[in-house]
Amino acid sequence: MSRFAVIERASIDEVYVDLTAAARERVRQMEGQQVDAEMLKTTFVDGFSQHGDTLQSGDPATLREEERRAGVWAWLEYLHRNCDQQSPEHQLTAGALIVEEMRAAVEAETGYRCSAGISHNKVLAKLSCGLNKPNRQTLLPLCSVPRLFDTLPIGKIRNLGGKLGESVAQHLNIEYMGQLRAFPLSQLQAAFGEKTGGWLFDLCRGVDFEPVRDRHLPKSIGCSKNFLGTEALSSCEQVKHWLLQLATELEERLTKDREQNQRVGKQLSVSVRLEGAGKSSHFSRCCALSQYQAQSIANNAFTLLRGFNTAGSHQTAW
């Protein structure tokens, strides 16, 4: 994906892509050309179809594809009639073309299929990504946001799925994101503070300014495992066994990182959390990381840990 534009890894299976520069360049390259609907062969355009307005019979997949095509044609007609070549709407469409190519490249090289959302900011892109899964992409123009937000629960919006979203809904006695538009900026800032109130005022109108940040390399690489209840380790041999399992996994991750990022780890850190009798304790110890070899890592980790064995350092029990 990073071949196409700046990316920000958000989770193990999610990424934000800043297509601003790439979309502007694509618009420049296509100056004077019309976008063909077949170039957007897996794209839905939210707000530009009649889905759900009339009852239809037939194969659901066929009807869904007809709905998708009709929406793309309606969107392209809207562009032709209302938007100049340099408009944000044309840039969104260019972004959708790029994402079609990006998703095809991902599938060709990895075998994985993915969905995507194309919109003006991270909040709208994440929201639209989930509208037409699987293996489809959704373009969400700003003109479609009010209709979508009028029936969208507040908790479905990025950063409003937790306590803040609950607080907004309860304090203002509302349920849907679109209902926020009824409140003036001064009232939102009085209730939730200047910064958060201003953010809510903009967000309910589809406006957000958080940038896509180029992914930074992690400062540490690790692996861990919990041993709960009957799985609790009770002998030194069990501790050694699992340290080796974790060290083997760690060796693989470290080796892959060294190959990809041309860097080497310098320190080994071992952390343990113990829970019981209504309380928990945590300790951590470090030593030099001399080599990427699982058995060596496991031996060093056990040396760091064995002093905490209350059965005694030479006992078989842990």
Side-chain angles (χ1 to χ4, degrees):
M1 290 181 174
S2 60
R3 300 175 196 168
F4 291 81
V6 173
I7 67 168
E8 175 186 340
R9 182 174 176 175
S11 69
I12 194 169
D13 66 346
E14 185 177 73
V15 65
Y16 292 105
V17 186
D18 185 353
L19 291 168
T20 308
R24 287 174 179 166
E25 176 61 21
R26 183 63 61 93
V27 168
R28 188 191 66 78
Q29 293 172 357
M30 297 184 65
E31 189 172 359
Q33 302 177 36
Q34 295 292 325
V35 176
D36 191 311
E38 290 304 310
M39 300 167 71
L40 297 169
K41 59 184 179 181
T42 65
T43 300
F44 284 80
V45 183
D46 193 75
F48 282 77
S49 69
Q50 303 302 313
H51 178 61
D53 291 351
T54 58
L55 293 176
Q56 299 182 13
S57 59
D59 177 55
T62 301
L63 294 175
R64 185 168 181 258
E65 178 59 17
E66 290 176 356
E67 169 208 341
R68 189 199 66 76
R69 289 183 179 181
V72 170
W73 279 109
W75 171 249
L76 295 178
E77 180 66 17
Y78 173 84
L79 286 183
H80 180 69
R81 290 178 178 272
N82 300 287
C83 307
D84 63 66
Q85 196 76 14
Q86 302 303 318
S87 67
E89 291 81 4
H90 269 284
Q91 291 184 38
L92 274 188
T93 307
L97 292 174
I98 296 168
V99 175
E100 288 272 10
E101 297 164 5
M102 181 184 293
R103 291 174 48 246
V106 169
E107 183 175 2
E109 295 195 29
T110 70
Y112 289 112
R113 295 179 174 182
C114 53
S115 301
I118 303 99
S119 197
H120 300 281
N121 53 59
K122 293 165 77 170
V123 171
L124 297 181
K126 179 175 175 62
L127 179 63
S128 59
C129 182
L131 295 179
N132 290 288
K133 291 184 175 183
N135 197 31
R136 294 292 184 269
Q137 60 186 55
T138 303
L139 188 156
L140 176 59
L142 201 58
C143 61
S144 296
V145 170
R147 179 198 60 82
L148 180 62
F149 276 13
D150 283 347
T151 56
L152 186 78
I154 290 175
K156 295 292 185 181
I157 292 288
R158 178 173 179 263
N159 296 327
L160 286 176
K163 292 183 178 180
L164 176 58
E166 294 175 3
S167 174
V168 170
Q170 293 175 5
H171 187 85
L172 301 177
N173 193 29
I174 59 176
E175 181 179 357
Y176 302 112
M177 195 66 193
Q179 293 175 289
L180 267 174
R181 296 195 300 272
F183 297 89
L185 174 62
S186 58
Q187 184 175 351
L188 292 176
Q189 289 181 326
F192 304 105
E194 182 176 351
K195 183 178 179 180
T196 300
W199 175 71
L200 289 170
F201 182 83
D202 287 338
L203 190 61
C204 67
R205 292 163 174 80
V207 178
D208 186 61
F209 299 101
E210 182 184 345
V212 174
R213 295 179 174 87
D214 197 3
R215 180 182 62 179
H216 296 288
L217 293 174
K219 294 182 178 180
S220 64
I221 294 173
C223 51
S224 62
K225 182 172 174 61
N226 293 327
F227 302 92
L228 304 175
T230 56
E231 295 181 349
L233 307 184
S234 58
S235 72
C236 290
E237 286 306 311
Q238 287 179 314
V239 173
K240 289 179 179 179
H241 170 79
W242 282 106
L243 283 175
L244 182 57
Q245 303 309 305
L246 293 173
T248 301
E249 183 178 345
L250 184 60
E251 178 189 344
E252 293 177 0
R253 295 184 183 183
L254 288 169
T255 301
K256 183 177 181 180
D257 178 78
R258 181 175 60 192
E259 293 170 351
Q260 290 183 341
N261 303 311
Q262 291 76 54
R263 60 179 186 163
V264 178
K266 300 294 185 182
Q267 180 176 269
L268 174 67
S269 176
V270 187
S271 298
V272 177
R273 185 180 70 248
L274 302 173
E275 295 187 3
K279 62 180 182 179
S280 63
S281 58
H282 176 270
F283 57 82
S284 181
R285 292 292 184 270
C286 302
C287 68
L289 179 60
S290 56
Q291 56 181 318
Y292 287 1
Q293 202 278 326
Q295 190 63 64
S296 173
I297 293 173
N299 291 342
N300 288 337
F302 185 77
T303 299
L304 293 173
L305 291 181
R306 64 183 179 183
F308 294 98
N309 182 11
T310 56
S313 60
H314 298 294
Q315 300 297 317
T316 59
W318 186 276

